Amino acid sequence: QVQLVESGGGLVQAGASLKLSCAASGLTFSDYAMGWFRQAPGKEREFVAAISWSGGSAYYADSVKGRFTISRDNAKNTVYLQINSLKPEDTAVYYCAADLLVVATSSYEYDYWGQGTQVTVSS
């Protein structure tokens, strides 16, 4: 049974930083590209960042480039999302997802999803 469990969200002020984690189990983690998506109230889920199975390639949405950094530790079966200079518009539920072999920006490509962690940024 595949499980992706996100953690690290919270309520922070604008300008603060957070590091989200996603721990994976029930799959061969190093076979999967990993992605982070987010969904704000009343909006569709959107791509944030993705990383290849090896960690050698990373991709970001234009809206987060320069502020967000995705990374992974295959020995710990964990993917991370470092978020700096948080803005109120970053408020959303953040989801991690696993995609067998292929790095993708479309949510339709991903095979497994976590339950999400809430990030709320106050102004």
Side-chain angles (χ1 to χ4, degrees), residues 34-69:
M34 299 297 294
W36 285 95
F37 292 77
R38 66 185 181 185
Q39 188 166 18
K43 295 187 177 181
E44 293 188 353
R45 190 171 298 187
E46 65 172 354
F47 169 75
V48 173
I51 190 166
S52 62
W53 64 270
S54 66
S57 298
Y59 304 87
Y60 298 92
D62 288 342
S63 59
V64 306
K65 281 181 182 177
R67 297 190 299 122
F68 289 25
T69 304

Side-chain angles (χ1 to χ4, degrees), residues 35-104:
W36 285 95
F37 292 77
R38 66 185 181 185
Q39 188 166 18
K43 295 187 177 181
E44 293 188 353
R45 190 171 298 187
E46 65 172 354
F47 169 75
V48 173
I51 190 166
S52 62
W53 64 270
S54 66
S57 298
Y59 304 87
Y60 298 92
D62 288 342
S63 59
V64 306
K65 281 181 182 177
R67 297 190 299 122
F68 289 25
T69 304
I70 189 171
S71 61
R72 66 189 295 160
D73 185 338
N74 286 350
K76 295 183 177 180
N77 287 3
T78 302
V79 63
Y80 305 96
L81 186 68
Q82 177 70 45
I83 310 175
N84 298 327
S85 302
L86 276 155
K87 304 176 181 180
E89 52 263 43
D90 295 319
T91 295
V93 177
Y94 283 72
Y95 299 90
C96 72
D99 180 5
L100 184 61
L101 295 178
V102 180
V103 180

